[in-house]
Amino acid sequence: MSDEQHDLEEIPQLEQRGRLAILRQEHRDLDAAIAALLQSGLSDALQLQRLKKKKLLLKDKIAELEDALLPDIIA
């Protein structure tokens, strides 16, 4: 396999890794927003529920991307 072919195969994986980094940052940001909302004492239950749901969806997307990037190892 030539270096050019190898580089072309890496592009989707690099894009996936970039997307994964973005999703992880969004997840951390949501975690901080939830913590700030709880600490403020002005927590709106509906807003808090929406943030937690969005955080859970991000967690699922992160897990899906991680699974796609890491090969299955059969022992």
Side-chain angles (χ1 to χ4, degrees):
M1 182 182 306
S2 73
D3 287 338
E4 185 176 330
Q5 286 175 328
H6 189 266
D7 289 342
L8 290 175
E9 290 177 4
E10 291 295 319
I11 291 171
Q13 188 177 28
L14 291 175
E15 289 174 0
Q16 288 178 352
R17 290 187 186 282
R19 180 74 178 136
L20 185 58
I22 291 168
L23 291 175
R24 285 178 175 158
Q25 183 60 51
E26 288 179 20
H27 190 267
R28 284 190 296 269
D29 291 347
L30 278 173
D31 201 31
I34 290 168
L37 193 60
L38 289 171
Q39 286 180 346
S40 73
L42 303 173
S43 61
D44 174 4
L46 184 58
Q47 183 182 13
L48 192 58
Q49 182 181 11
R50 286 179 179 157
L51 289 174
K52 286 182 177 184
K53 184 176 182 177
K54 186 173 181 180
K55 184 180 166 191
L56 188 57
L57 290 172
L58 282 172
K59 183 180 178 183
D60 290 344
K61 287 181 185 179
I62 289 168
E64 186 178 313
L65 267 175
E66 287 174 339
D67 287 346
L69 288 170
L70 297 174
D72 289 335
I73 299 173
I74 301 173

Coordinates of all heavy atoms in Angstrom, one line a residue:
M1 N 0.8 -1.2 0.0 CA 0.0 0.0 0.0 C 0.9 1.2 0.0 O 1.8 1.3 0.8 CB -0.9 0.0 1.2 CG -1.9 1.1 1.3 SD -2.9 1.2 2.8 CE -3.7 -0.4 2.8
S2 N 0.6 2.2 -0.9 CA 1.4 3.4 -0.9 C 1.1 4.3 0.2 O 0.0 4.2 0.9 CB 1.2 4.1 -2.3 OG -0.1 4.7 -2.3
D3 N 2.0 5.3 0.4 CA 1.8 6.3 1.5 C 0.5 7.1 1.2 O -0.2 7.5 2.2 CB 3.0 7.2 1.7 CG 4.2 6.4 2.3 OD1 4.0 5.4 3.0 OD2 5.3 6.9 2.1
E4 N 0.3 7.4 0.0 CA -0.9 8.2 -0.4 C -2.2 7.5 0.0 O -3.1 8.1 0.5 CB -0.9 8.6 -1.9 CG -2.0 9.5 -2.3 CD -1.9 9.9 -3.7 OE1 -0.8 10.0 -4.3 OE2 -2.9 10.2 -4.3
Q5 N -2.3 6.2 -0.3 CA -3.5 5.4 0.0 C -3.6 5.4 1.5 O -4.7 5.5 2.0 CB -3.3 4.0 -0.5 CG -3.5 3.9 -2.0 CD -3.3 2.5 -2.6 OE1 -2.5 1.8 -2.0 NE2 -4.0 2.2 -3.6
H6 N -2.5 5.2 2.2 CA -2.6 5.1 3.7 C -3.1 6.4 4.3 O -3.9 6.5 5.2 CB -1.2 4.8 4.3 CG -1.2 4.5 5.7 ND1 -1.0 5.4 6.7 CD2 -1.5 3.3 6.4 CE1 -1.1 4.9 7.9 NE2 -1.4 3.6 7.7
D7 N -2.6 7.6 3.7 CA -3.1 8.9 4.2 C -4.6 9.1 4.0 O -5.2 9.6 4.8 CB -2.3 10.0 3.5 CG -0.8 10.1 4.0 OD1 -0.5 9.5 5.0 OD2 0.0 10.7 3.3
L8 N -5.1 8.6 2.8 CA -6.5 8.7 2.5 C -7.3 7.9 3.5 O -8.4 8.4 3.9 CB -6.8 8.3 1.1 CG -6.3 9.2 0.0 CD1 -6.5 8.6 -1.4 CD2 -6.9 10.6 0.1
E9 N -6.8 6.8 3.9 CA -7.6 6.0 4.9 C -7.6 6.6 6.3 O -8.5 6.4 7.1 CB -7.0 4.6 5.0 CG -7.2 3.8 3.7 CD -6.6 2.4 3.8 OE1 -6.0 2.1 4.8 OE2 -6.7 1.7 2.8
E10 N -6.6 7.4 6.6 CA -6.5 8.1 7.9 C -7.4 9.3 8.0 O -7.8 9.6 9.1 CB -5.1 8.5 8.1 CG -4.1 7.4 8.3 CD -4.3 6.6 9.6 OE1 -4.7 7.2 10.6 OE2 -4.3 5.3 9.5
I11 N -7.8 9.9 6.9 CA -8.6 11.1 7.0 C -9.9 10.9 7.8 O -10.2 11.6 8.7 CB -8.9 11.7 5.6 CG1 -7.6 12.2 5.0 CG2 -10.0 12.8 5.7 CD1 -7.7 12.6 3.6
P12 N -10.7 9.8 7.5 CA -11.9 9.6 8.2 C -11.7 9.4 9.7 O -12.4 10.0 10.6 CB -12.6 8.4 7.6 CG -12.1 8.4 6.2 CD -10.7 8.9 6.3
Q13 N -10.6 8.7 10.0 CA -10.3 8.5 11.4 C -9.9 9.8 12.1 O -10.3 10.1 13.3 CB -9.2 7.5 11.6 CG -8.9 7.1 13.0 CD -7.9 6.0 13.2 OE1 -7.0 5.9 12.4 NE2 -8.0 5.2 14.2
L14 N -9.1 10.6 11.4 CA -8.7 11.9 12.0 C -10.0 12.8 12.2 O -10.1 13.5 13.2 CB -7.7 12.6 11.1 CG -6.4 12.0 11.0 CD1 -5.5 12.7 10.0 CD2 -5.7 12.1 12.4
E15 N -10.9 12.8 11.3 CA -12.2 13.5 11.4 C -12.9 13.0 12.6 O -13.5 13.8 13.4 CB -13.0 13.4 10.1 CG -12.4 14.2 9.0 CD -13.2 14.0 7.7 OE1 -14.2 13.3 7.7 OE2 -12.8 14.6 6.7
Q16 N -13.0 11.7 12.8 CA -13.7 11.1 13.9 C -13.0 11.5 15.2 O -13.7 11.8 16.2 CB -13.7 9.6 13.8 CG -14.6 9.1 12.7 CD -14.6 7.5 12.6 OE1 -13.8 6.9 13.2 NE2 -15.5 7.0 11.8
R17 N -11.7 11.5 15.2 CA -11.0 11.9 16.5 C -11.3 13.4 16.8 O -11.5 13.8 17.9 CB -9.5 11.7 16.3 CG -9.2 10.2 16.4 CD -7.7 10.0 16.4 NE -7.4 8.6 16.3 CZ -7.5 7.7 17.3 NH1 -7.9 8.1 18.5 NH2 -7.2 6.4 17.1
G18 N -11.4 14.2 15.7 CA -11.7 15.7 16.0 C -13.1 15.8 16.5 O -13.3 16.6 17.4
R19 N -14.0 15.1 15.9 CA -15.4 15.1 16.4 C -15.5 14.6 17.8 O -16.2 15.2 18.6 CB -16.3 14.2 15.5 CG -17.7 14.2 15.8 CD -18.4 15.5 15.5 NE -19.8 15.3 15.8 CZ -20.5 16.3 16.4 NH1 -20.0 17.4 16.7 NH2 -21.8 16.1 16.7
L20 N -14.7 13.6 18.1 CA -14.7 13.0 19.5 C -14.2 14.1 20.5 O -14.8 14.3 21.6 CB -13.8 11.8 19.5 CG -13.8 11.0 20.8 CD1 -15.2 10.5 21.3 CD2 -12.9 9.8 20.7
A21 N -13.2 14.8 20.1 CA -12.7 15.9 21.0 C -13.7 17.0 21.2 O -13.9 17.5 22.4 CB -11.4 16.5 20.4
I22 N -14.4 17.3 20.2 CA -15.5 18.3 20.3 C -16.6 17.9 21.2 O -17.1 18.6 22.1 CB -16.0 18.7 18.9 CG1 -15.0 19.5 18.1 CG2 -17.3 19.5 19.0 CD1 -15.3 19.6 16.6
L23 N -17.0 16.6 21.0 CA -18.1 16.1 21.9 C -17.7 16.0 23.3 O -18.5 16.3 24.2 CB -18.5 14.7 21.4 CG -19.2 14.7 20.0 CD1 -19.5 13.2 19.6 CD2 -20.5 15.4 20.1
R24 N -16.4 15.6 23.6 CA -15.9 15.5 25.0 C -15.9 16.9 25.6 O -16.3 17.1 26.8 CB -14.5 14.9 25.0 CG -14.5 13.4 24.8 CD -13.1 12.9 24.8 NE -13.1 11.4 24.7 CZ -12.1 10.7 24.2 NH1 -11.0 11.3 23.9 NH2 -12.2 9.4 24.2
Q25 N -15.5 17.9 24.8 CA -15.5 19.3 25.4 C -17.0 19.8 25.7 O -17.2 20.4 26.7 CB -14.9 20.3 24.4 CG -14.8 21.7 24.9 CD -14.0 21.8 26.2 OE1 -12.9 21.3 26.3 NE2 -14.5 22.4 27.2
E26 N -17.9 19.5 24.8 CA -19.3 19.8 25.0 C -19.8 19.1 26.3 O -20.6 19.7 27.0 CB -20.1 19.4 23.8 CG -19.9 20.3 22.6 CD -20.8 19.9 21.4 OE1 -21.8 19.2 21.6 OE2 -20.5 20.3 20.3
H27 N -19.4 17.9 26.4 CA -19.8 17.1 27.6 C -19.3 17.8 28.9 O -20.1 17.9 29.9 CB -19.3 15.7 27.5 CG -19.9 14.7 28.5 ND1 -19.2 14.5 29.7 CD2 -21.0 14.0 28.5 CE1 -20.0 13.6 30.4 NE2 -21.1 13.3 29.7
R28 N -18.1 18.2 28.9 CA -17.5 18.9 30.1 C -18.2 20.2 30.3 O -18.4 20.6 31.4 CB -16.0 19.1 29.9 CG -15.1 17.8 30.0 CD -13.6 18.1 30.1 NE -13.2 18.7 28.8 CZ -12.7 17.9 27.8 NH1 -12.6 16.6 27.9 NH2 -12.3 18.5 26.7
D29 N -18.5 20.9 29.2 CA -19.2 22.2 29.3 C -20.5 22.0 30.0 O -21.0 22.8 30.8 CB -19.3 22.9 28.0 CG -17.9 23.4 27.4 OD1 -16.9 23.4 28.2 OD2 -17.9 23.7 26.2
L30 N -21.3 21.0 29.5 CA -22.6 20.7 30.1 C -22.5 20.4 31.6 O -23.3 20.8 32.4 CB -23.3 19.6 29.3 CG -24.0 20.0 28.0 CD1 -24.5 18.8 27.3 CD2 -25.1 21.0 28.3
D31 N -21.5 19.6 31.9 CA -21.2 19.2 33.3 C -21.0 20.5 34.1 O -21.6 20.6 35.2 CB -20.0 18.3 33.4 CG -20.0 17.4 34.6 OD1 -21.1 17.1 35.1 OD2 -18.9 17.1 35.1
A32 N -20.2 21.4 33.6 CA -20.0 22.6 34.4 C -21.2 23.5 34.5 O -21.5 24.1 35.5 CB -18.9 23.4 33.7
A33 N -22.0 23.5 33.4 CA -23.3 24.3 33.4 C -24.3 23.7 34.4 O -24.9 24.4 35.1 CB -23.9 24.3 32.0
I34 N -24.3 22.4 34.5 CA -25.2 21.7 35.4 C -24.8 22.0 36.9 O -25.6 22.4 37.7 CB -25.3 20.2 35.2 CG1 -26.1 19.9 33.9 CG2 -26.0 19.5 36.3 CD1 -25.9 18.5 33.3
A35 N -23.5 21.9 37.1 CA -23.0 22.2 38.4 C -23.2 23.6 38.8 O -23.6 23.9 40.0 CB -21.5 21.9 38.5
A36 N -23.0 24.6 37.9 CA -23.2 26.0 38.2 C -24.7 26.2 38.5 O -25.0 27.0 39.4 CB -22.8 26.8 37.0
L37 N -25.6 25.6 37.7 CA -27.0 25.8 37.9 C -27.4 25.3 39.3 O -28.2 25.9 40.0 CB -27.8 25.0 36.8 CG -29.3 25.3 36.7 CD1 -29.5 26.8 36.4 CD2 -29.8 24.5 35.6
L38 N -26.9 24.1 39.7 CA -27.2 23.6 41.0 C -26.6 24.4 42.1 O -27.3 24.6 43.2 CB -26.7 22.1 41.1 CG -27.4 21.1 40.3 CD1 -26.6 19.8 40.3 CD2 -28.8 20.9 40.8
Q39 N -25.4 25.0 42.0 CA -24.8 25.8 43.0 C -25.5 27.1 43.2 O -25.5 27.7 44.2 CB -23.3 26.0 42.7 CG -22.5 24.7 43.0 CD -21.0 25.0 42.7 OE1 -20.6 26.0 42.1 NE2 -20.2 24.1 43.2
S40 N -26.1 27.6 42.1 CA -26.7 29.0 42.1 C -28.0 29.0 43.0 O -28.3 30.0 43.5 CB -27.1 29.4 40.7 OG -28.2 28.7 40.2
G41 N -28.6 27.8 43.2 CA -29.8 27.7 44.0 C -31.0 28.2 43.2 O -32.1 28.2 43.7
L42 N -30.8 28.6 42.0 CA -31.9 29.1 41.1 C -32.2 28.0 40.0 O -32.7 28.4 39.0 CB -31.5 30.4 40.4 CG -31.1 31.5 41.4 CD1 -30.6 32.7 40.6 CD2 -32.3 32.0 42.2
S43 N -32.0 26.8 40.4 CA -32.1 25.8 39.3 C -33.5 25.6 38.9 O -34.4 25.4 39.7 CB -31.5 24.4 39.8 OG -32.2 24.0 41.0
D44 N -33.7 25.7 37.6 CA -35.0 25.4 37.0 C -35.0 23.9 36.7 O -34.2 23.4 35.9 CB -35.1 26.2 35.7 CG -36.3 26.0 34.9 OD1 -37.2 25.2 35.3 OD2 -36.5 26.5 33.8
A45 N -36.0 23.2 37.3 CA -36.0 21.7 37.1 C -36.1 21.3 35.7 O -35.4 20.3 35.3 CB -37.2 21.2 37.9
L46 N -36.9 22.0 34.9 CA -37.0 21.6 33.5 C -35.7 21.9 32.7 O -35.3 21.0 31.9 CB -38.1 22.4 32.8 CG -38.5 22.1 31.4 CD1 -38.8 20.6 31.2 CD2 -39.6 22.9 30.9
Q47 N -35.1 23.0 33.0 CA -33.8 23.3 32.3 C -32.7 22.3 32.7 O -31.9 21.8 31.9 CB -33.3 24.7 32.7 CG -32.0 25.1 32.0 CD -31.6 26.5 32.4 OE1 -32.1 27.1 33.3 NE2 -30.6 27.0 31.6
L48 N -32.7 22.0 34.0 CA -31.7 21.0 34.5 C -32.0 19.6 33.9 O -31.0 19.0 33.5 CB -31.9 20.9 36.0 CG -30.8 20.2 36.8 CD1 -29.5 20.8 36.6 CD2 -31.2 20.2 38.3
Q49 N -33.2 19.2 33.7 CA -33.5 17.9 33.1 C -33.1 17.9 31.6 O -32.5 17.0 31.2 CB -35.0 17.7 33.2 CG -35.5 16.4 32.6 CD -37.0 16.2 32.7 OE1 -37.7 17.1 33.0 NE2 -37.4 15.0 32.4
R50 N -33.3 19.0 30.9 CA -32.9 19.1 29.5 C -31.4 19.0 29.4 O -30.8 18.4 28.5 CB -33.4 20.4 28.9 CG -34.9 20.4 28.6 CD -35.3 21.7 28.0 NE -36.7 21.6 27.8 CZ -37.5 22.7 27.7 NH1 -37.0 23.9 27.8 NH2 -38.8 22.6 27.4
L51 N -30.6 19.7 30.3 CA -29.2 19.7 30.2 C -28.7 18.3 30.5 O -27.7 17.8 29.8 CB -28.6 20.7 31.2 CG -28.7 22.2 30.9 CD1 -28.2 23.0 32.1 CD2 -28.0 22.5 29.6
K52 N -29.2 17.6 31.5 CA -28.8 16.3 31.8 C -29.1 15.3 30.7 O -28.3 14.4 30.4 CB -29.5 15.8 33.1 CG -28.9 16.5 34.3 CD -29.6 15.9 35.6 CE -29.0 16.5 36.8 NZ -29.6 15.9 38.1
K53 N -30.2 15.5 30.0 CA -30.6 14.6 28.9 C -29.6 14.8 27.7 O -29.1 13.9 27.1 CB -32.0 14.9 28.4 CG -32.5 14.0 27.3 CD -33.9 14.2 27.0 CE -34.4 13.3 25.9 NZ -35.8 13.4 25.6
K54 N -29.3 16.1 27.5 CA -28.3 16.4 26.4 C -27.0 15.8 26.7 O -26.3 15.3 25.9 CB -28.2 17.9 26.2 CG -27.4 18.3 25.0 CD -27.5 19.8 24.7 CE -26.6 20.1 23.5 NZ -26.6 21.5 23.2
K55 N -26.6 15.9 28.0 CA -25.3 15.4 28.4 C -25.3 13.9 28.2 O -24.3 13.3 27.8 CB -25.1 15.7 29.9 CG -23.7 15.3 30.4 CD -23.6 15.7 31.9 CE -22.4 14.9 32.5 NZ -22.3 15.0 33.9
L56 N -26.4 13.2 28.5 CA -26.4 11.7 28.4 C -26.4 11.4 26.9 O -25.7 10.4 26.5 CB -27.7 11.2 29.0 CG -27.9 9.7 29.0 CD1 -26.8 9.1 29.8 CD2 -29.2 9.4 29.7
L57 N -27.0 12.1 26.0 CA -27.0 11.9 24.6 C -25.5 12.0 24.1 O -25.1 11.3 23.2 CB -27.9 12.8 23.8 CG -29.4 12.5 24.0 CD1 -30.3 13.6 23.4 CD2 -29.8 11.2 23.4
L58 N -24.9 13.1 24.6 CA -23.5 13.3 24.2 C -22.6 12.1 24.6 O -21.7 11.6 23.9 CB -22.9 14.6 24.8 CG -23.3 15.9 24.1 CD1 -22.8 17.1 24.9 CD2 -22.7 15.9 22.7
K59 N -22.9 11.6 25.8 CA -22.1 10.5 26.3 C -22.3 9.3 25.4 O -21.3 8.5 25.1 CB -22.6 10.1 27.8 CG -21.8 9.0 28.4 CD -22.3 8.8 29.8 CE -21.6 7.6 30.4 NZ -22.1 7.3 31.8
D60 N -23.5 9.0 25.0 CA -23.8 7.9 24.0 C -23.0 8.1 22.7 O -22.5 7.2 22.2 CB -25.3 7.8 23.8 CG -26.0 7.3 25.0 OD1 -25.4 6.8 26.0 OD2 -27.3 7.4 25.0
K61 N -23.0 9.3 22.2 CA -22.3 9.6 20.9 C -20.8 9.4 21.1 O -20.2 8.9 20.2 CB -22.6 11.0 20.5 CG -24.0 11.2 19.9 CD -24.2 12.7 19.4 CE -25.6 12.9 19.0 NZ -25.8 14.3 18.6
I62 N -20.3 9.8 22.2 CA -18.9 9.6 22.5 C -18.5 8.2 22.6 O -17.6 7.7 22.0 CB -18.5 10.3 23.9 CG1 -18.6 11.9 23.7 CG2 -17.1 9.9 24.4 CD1 -18.5 12.6 25.0
A63 N -19.4 7.4 23.3 CA -19.1 5.9 23.4 C -19.2 5.3 22.0 O -18.4 4.4 21.6 CB -20.1 5.3 24.3
E64 N -20.1 5.7 21.1 CA -20.2 5.2 19.8 C -19.0 5.5 18.9 O -18.5 4.6 18.2 CB -21.5 5.8 19.1 CG -21.8 5.2 17.8 CD -23.1 5.8 17.2 OE1 -24.1 6.0 18.0 OE2 -23.1 6.2 16.1
L65 N -18.5 6.7 19.0 CA -17.3 7.1 18.3 C -16.1 6.3 18.8 O -15.2 5.9 18.0 CB -17.1 8.6 18.4 CG -17.6 9.4 17.3 CD1 -17.4 10.9 17.5 CD2 -17.1 9.1 15.9
E66 N -16.0 6.2 20.1 CA -14.8 5.5 20.7 C -14.8 4.0 20.2 O -13.8 3.5 19.9 CB -14.9 5.6 22.2 CG -14.5 6.9 22.8 CD -14.7 7.0 24.3 OE1 -15.4 6.2 24.9 OE2 -14.0 7.9 24.8
D67 N -16.0 3.4 20.2 CA -16.1 2.1 19.7 C -15.7 1.9 18.3 O -15.1 0.9 17.9 CB -17.6 1.5 19.9 CG -17.9 1.2 21.3 OD1 -17.0 1.2 22.2 OD2 -19.1 1.1 21.6
A68 N -16.1 2.9 17.5 CA -15.7 2.9 16.0 C -14.2 3.1 15.8 O -13.6 2.5 14.9 CB -16.5 4.0 15.3
L69 N -13.6 3.8 16.7 CA -12.1 4.1 16.6 C -11.3 3.0 17.1 O -10.2 2.7 16.7 CB -11.8 5.4 17.3 CG -12.3 6.7 16.5 CD1 -12.1 7.9 17.4 CD2 -11.5 6.8 15.2
L70 N -11.8 2.3 18.2 CA -11.0 1.2 18.8 C -11.4 -0.1 18.2 O -12.5 -0.5 18.3 CB -11.2 1.2 20.3 CG -10.7 2.5 21.0 CD1 -11.1 2.5 22.5 CD2 -9.3 2.7 20.9
P71 N -10.4 -0.9 17.7 CA -10.8 -2.2 17.1 C -11.1 -3.1 18.3 O -10.6 -3.0 19.4 CB -9.5 -2.6 16.4 CG -8.4 -1.9 17.1 CD -9.0 -0.6 17.6
D72 N -12.0 -4.1 17.9 CA -12.4 -5.1 18.9 C -11.2 -6.1 19.0 O -10.7 -6.5 18.0 CB -13.6 -5.9 18.4 CG -14.9 -5.0 18.5 OD1 -14.9 -4.1 19.3 OD2 -15.8 -5.3 17.7
I73 N -10.9 -6.4 20.2 CA -9.8 -7.3 20.5 C -10.4 -8.6 21.1 O -11.1 -8.5 22.1 CB -8.8 -6.7 21.5 CG1 -8.2 -5.5 20.9 CG2 -7.7 -7.8 21.8 CD1 -7.3 -4.7 21.8
I74 N -10.3 -9.7 20.4 CA -10.8 -10.9 20.8 C -9.7 -11.7 21.5 O -8.7 -12.0 20.8 CB -11.4 -11.7 19.7 CG1 -12.6 -10.9 19.0 CG2 -11.9 -13.1 20.2 CD1 -13.1 -11.5 17.8
A75 N -9.9 -12.0 22.7 CA -8.8 -12.7 23.5 C -8.9 -14.2 23.3 O -9.9 -14.8 23.1 CB -8.9 -12.4 24.9

